[in-house]
Amino acid sequence: MSLSIGSNGTSVRQLQQRLKTAGFNPGAVDGKFGARTDAAVRAFQRANRLQVDGKAGTKTMQALQRDSFEPSTARRTTGTGTSSTAKGTARTTPQTTSTRANERIPYRNGHIPKNALTDVGSGHKMYGDAARKYIQMRDAARRDGVNLKLTDSYRSYAAQVDVARRKGIYGVRQPNGKLGLAARPGTSNHGLGKAVDINVNDAKTLNWLKNNASKYGFKTIPREPWHWEYKG
């Protein structure tokens, strides 16, 4: 059974809440499937490469359940990926390996709470070892007369959706004929708090990073010299 314009009731209310949590505004969470909920469903389907028909069927609901997981409800996580929630019920969540082999992130991509992130300068945030190593790298660069200027760092799921809307999904041809540049929402390393974008418009900064970033566990890719990820 799918939900669409004209549907109403508890199931629609749950759908609206999940859309809202995932970063797609359905309007009022009132249990009434109207035009704004339809638009939010279509936007979510488009961002997740699902059939864009405005109908919340099995695949759309499964994707929403995955992307609207709220990590703040988790108390602990076992090695099998089963977490106990505040209500005492078991929830199976994927375990994401990050920053180093033995560091686990008990949060879904793009759903790391603010109090679990570390400020790495100018309001930018990172997570765990990646944050500590970036700060070490930033300070070392300063001692060498190089000021690393961040343009992006941690991205919430909603922020990833916004970037995907503006830049398109990586490798997918856009209406203007250009290929998209953004990772699929929920898969970006920015959402794990271990990637930063650095202003490399001046050769001095880029050369310093090429010669020193690996000492702190950071690597880049040729097509995006501004993008640096902590690999440990």
Side-chain angles (χ1 to χ4, degrees):
M1 177 180 177
S2 63
L3 302 173
S4 58
I5 286 184
S7 298
N8 58 73
T10 302
S11 294
V12 174
R13 187 184 300 275
Q14 292 174 342
L15 166 66
Q16 292 169 327
Q17 186 58 58
R18 286 177 178 173
L19 285 165
K20 185 175 181 180
T21 301
F24 298 82
N25 186 6
V29 180
D30 56 7
K32 299 177 182 179
F33 199 125
R36 292 192 66 177
T37 299
D38 176 76
V41 169
R42 290 175 185 274
F44 178 83
Q45 290 172 328
R46 189 174 297 109
N48 286 273
R49 297 183 181 179
L50 298 170
Q51 180 180 352
V52 182
D53 57 8
K55 298 179 181 179
T58 301
K59 291 184 179 180
T60 297
M61 293 302 290
Q62 287 177 341
L64 264 173
Q65 187 170 11
R66 180 181 67 244
D67 288 331
S68 62
F69 168 70
E70 297 184 43
S72 59
T73 63
R75 285 181 181 171
R76 63 184 182 276
T77 305
T78 68
T80 60
T82 300
S83 61
S84 298
T85 66
K87 294 182 179 180
T89 57
R91 183 197 299 269
T92 299
T93 60
Q95 296 305 291
T96 305
T97 300
S98 170
T99 65
R100 65 182 182 186
N102 63 346
E103 183 180 27
R104 313 289 289 186
I105 297 182
Y107 307 106
R108 290 195 59 79
N109 187 305
H111 293 273
I112 302 177
K114 291 181 179 180
N115 61 7
L117 295 167
T118 299
D119 192 305
V120 294
S122 301
H124 287 281
K125 309 287 186 180
M126 295 184 75
Y127 182 84
D129 284 350
R132 289 186 283 275
K133 286 296 184 178
Y134 174 78
I135 290 173
Q136 291 177 15
M137 181 172 74
R138 178 201 66 192
D139 292 346
R142 285 177 179 172
R143 290 193 292 271
D144 290 339
V146 174
N147 183 21
L148 300 182
K149 299 177 181 178
L150 294 182
T151 60
D152 204 358
S153 52
Y154 171 72
R155 288 179 192 161
S156 66
Y157 185 83
Q160 292 177 55
V161 170
D162 178 63
V163 172
R165 284 173 178 163
R166 291 186 287 106
K167 298 185 177 182
I169 300 298
Y170 182 78
V172 177
R173 195 165 298 282
Q174 305 304 300
N176 61 9
K178 296 182 179 180
L179 292 176
L181 297 173
R184 179 176 176 273
T187 66
S188 172
N189 280 320
H190 283 286
L192 297 177
K194 65 175 185 176
V196 289
D197 290 346
I198 301 173
N199 186 328
V200 293
N201 289 336
D202 64 290
K204 184 177 181 180
T205 296
L206 183 57
N207 287 335
W208 190 93
L209 287 167
K210 287 181 177 179
N211 293 328
N212 297 280
S214 62
K215 300 175 185 177
Y216 303 92
F218 284 87
K219 296 182 180 180
T220 188
I221 50 179
R223 67 173 182 270
E224 296 182 358
W226 61 86
H227 179 82
W228 295 82
E229 297 180 2
Y230 181 68
K231 300 296 186 179

